Amino acid sequence: MTDMRTAEGSAPVQGPLWGARPRDWAAQEERHHSIYDNIWPLVDVPAGGSVLDVGCGAGTFCRLAAAQGYQVTGIDAAASLIDLAGELVPDGEFHVGDLQFLPFADDHFDCVTAFNSVQFAADPGAALAEIKRVARPAAPVVIVVWGRPEHSELTAIVTGLAPLLPPPPPGVGGPAALAEEHVLDTLIERAGLRATASGYLPVPLDYPDQEAFLLANLSTGVAAVAIRTSGEDAVRDAILRAAAPFRTASGGYRIEAESRYVIASA
Ligand SMILES: C[S@@+](CC[C@H](N)C(=O)[O-])C[C@H]1O[C@@H](n2cnc3c(N)ncnc32)[C@H](O)[C@@H]1O
């Protein structure tokens, strides 16, 4: 029997979760600049070429690529984030949609990027095959996912939220579903992509005060599920309890997270 979640994609579920607090998520996305700044210089894209960012969120990476003269297209499940991306990158083209069903022709883009989005697809392997389909032959493809749970202090926060979440439906991976090296590498190879570089990247996340930290962490997809299930007060308390070890002397927070990246050739 066909699994309807896989056949339809996860966008109808994920979009409202990630899009519930769009401005707070956009502020969090700014903290992901170290990921873009470390990985993007490793990617060889022809000057002025076309770049598709799948799961583009509020458009923070798209803004960076557009500022360098690339023609930018973004797609995301969250309509509210796509609205912000359009404001942030007026020259970009933005779509609400599912990364597993990309509304673009075959062999279309000079580069395709996916920063922390493929792990949320109903079928990440199918999403990678879609990415390969719309990339020009031999075009660079960048896939970034969360790093190893034991190397990321974000794990403490996700673990702290676990009692406030409903049990996941069978077959649905969590945010760290693709973190282990062999899982992503195997899916990439099966999608017909050829990995040319890969590694783990430390991702420091800094928050000046408790309110900024809370707003950022209440705006994630997993927090949105916890809020629906258990209410915002319980989620705030759980986040603050889990993050207590990461409080700085000045009353802010610093989380040492990790990303895994693979640069591949389509
Ligand atoms: C962790 S955020 C990453 C956002 C941004 N790329 C970044 O670098 O921070 C995950 C993003 O993937 C999007 N997403 C999740 N599932 C999706 C799907 N099935 N199709 C399209 N976008 C999806 C979410 O709406 C959200 O914007």
Side-chain angles (χ1 to χ4, degrees), residues 135-176:
R136 285 196 213 287
V141 167
V142 178
I143 307 296
V144 174
V145 295
W146 277 26
R148 298 158 292 187
E150 67 276 19
H151 288 256
S152 174
E153 290 171 350
L154 280 178
T155 304
I157 298 178
V158 174
T159 305
L161 288 176
L164 306 181
L165 295 170
V172 173

Side-chain angles (χ1 to χ4, degrees), residues 82-145:
I82 284 294
D83 287 345
L84 292 185
E87 288 172 19
L88 197 63
V89 192
D91 292 339
E93 177 188 321
F94 293 98
H95 301 260
V96 178
D98 194 298
L99 49 81
Q100 206 177 312
F101 303 97
L102 298 174
F104 308 111
D106 295 359
D107 304 341
H108 191 70
F109 292 99
D110 296 316
C111 175
V112 184
T113 56
F115 292 97
N116 275 313
S117 57
V118 167
Q119 66 264 45
F120 300 107
D123 181 344
L128 290 167
E130 246 326 62
I131 286 170
K132 151 101 175 134
R133 180 185 68 74
V134 301
R136 285 196 213 287
V141 167
V142 178
I143 307 296
V144 174
V145 295

Side-chain angles (χ1 to χ4, degrees), residues 22-104:
R23 300 237 170 239
D24 295 339
W25 175 258
Q28 171 63 12
E29 234 177 67
E30 294 290 346
R31 298 188 177 91
H32 299 165
H33 253 290
S34 70
I35 305 176
Y36 316 139
D37 292 343
N38 278 293
I39 292 173
W40 189 232
L42 308 177
V43 186
D44 190 13
V45 187
S50 55
V51 177
L52 170 67
D53 188 31
V54 305
C56 65
T60 311
F61 171 71
C62 289
R63 179 183 57 194
L64 184 158
Q68 295 177 359
Y70 295 107
Q71 298 167 48
V72 170
T73 303
I75 184 164
D76 198 278
S80 59
L81 295 179
I82 284 294
D83 287 345
L84 292 185
E87 288 172 19
L88 197 63
V89 192
D91 292 339
E93 177 188 321
F94 293 98
H95 301 260
V96 178
D98 194 298
L99 49 81
Q100 206 177 312
F101 303 97
L102 298 174
F104 308 111

